[in-house]
Amino acid sequence: MEYIIIIISAVLVNNIVLSQFLGICPFLGVSNKISTSLGMGGAVIFVMALATIVTYLIQKLLLVPLHIEYMQTVSFILVIAALVQLVEIVLKKTAPALYQALGIFLPLITTNCAVLGVAILTIQKDYNLLESVVFAIANAVGFTLALVIFAGLREHLDLVLVPKGMRGIPIALVTAGLLSLAFMGFAGLV
């Protein structure tokens, strides 16, 4: 039951993008097309899950025993950067079209505060390894859900008549705000 609560909370109630406002840069930058959003979401799921496993192990097996917990942020960023490089190399070889579509936003996963935020939150919440992985995957799925919903809304906005002064980024920001308010309505569930 605890894992179900972690999943529902991470995906809907405390959505990393729409409730905690982490990972806004790729949320706004990659959400022009649903296919690109799904690709970015898949990359974030992979990186976030692996980063959480590795950072959890580094925290528990290295930083805490050596009493160098103050190196947490630096070591976590290095792990995330290495994993993103791995994803970038794999995508470049296996899915060049997706690699091109993601463009600059793929390396920006390294600085995506959502990935670092989840790695740090798992330590702060004192989850065990399995709970940490479930929490990370659920947050990444929540990130992907927000990205795909927003991309669908943006694709639809391209088809409707929007006042000239609201076209592009202004209407995207208003839509993101309304989507965020909709997800805030889930706060009473858990």
Side-chain angles (χ1 to χ4, degrees):
M1 186 66 173
E2 186 174 332
Y3 294 107
I4 293 171
I5 291 172
I6 289 172
I7 292 168
I8 291 172
S9 175
V11 173
L12 298 174
V13 179
N14 294 315
N15 186 286
I16 199 80
V17 177
L18 300 173
S19 294
Q20 296 182 24
F21 307 110
L22 296 174
I24 299 293
C25 178
F27 175 70
L28 293 172
V30 184
S31 59
N32 291 330
K33 295 170 122 185
I34 291 175
S35 59
T36 308
S37 296
L38 284 169
M40 176 60 115
V44 169
I45 289 170
F46 179 75
V47 169
M48 203 176 280
L50 278 180
T52 299
I53 293 169
V54 174
T55 56
Y56 179 89
L57 294 173
I58 286 173
Q59 178 75 20
K60 299 297 181 184
L61 301 176
L62 187 66
L63 300 179
V64 171
L66 295 176
H67 304 292
I68 54 172
E69 293 92 349
Y70 59 88
M71 293 296 293
Q72 180 185 57
T73 304
V74 173
S75 60
F76 286 12
I77 289 172
L78 290 173
V79 166
I80 293 165
L83 289 172
V84 169
Q85 288 300 310
L86 175 70
V87 168
E88 192 171 5
I89 290 167
V90 169
L91 277 181
K92 191 173 187 179
K93 295 290 182 193
T94 60
L98 179 59
Y99 176 79
Q100 288 294 329
L102 292 174
I104 188 67
F105 292 101
L106 186 57
L108 284 178
I109 294 175
T110 302
T111 58
N112 185 347
C113 54
V115 179
L116 179 60
V118 167
I120 291 173
L121 281 171
T122 58
I123 302 300
Q124 287 178 350
K125 291 178 182 271
D126 202 28
Y127 286 148
N128 63 38
L129 183 58
L130 185 57
E131 289 171 337
S132 297
V133 172
V134 168
F135 180 73
I137 292 172
N139 270 291
V141 167
F143 177 86
T144 304
L145 176 69
L147 213 60
V148 170
I149 290 171
F150 190 56
L153 290 170
R154 286 182 80 174
E155 282 184 3
H156 182 71
L157 284 171
D158 288 342
L159 302 174
V160 298
L161 183 61
V162 176
K164 186 177 180 183
M166 290 297 290
R167 289 185 192 142
I169 296 296
I171 194 68
L173 292 174
V174 169
T175 305
L178 292 172
L179 186 59
S180 179
L181 284 172
F183 269 74
M184 294 278 190
F186 289 121
L189 292 178
V190 176

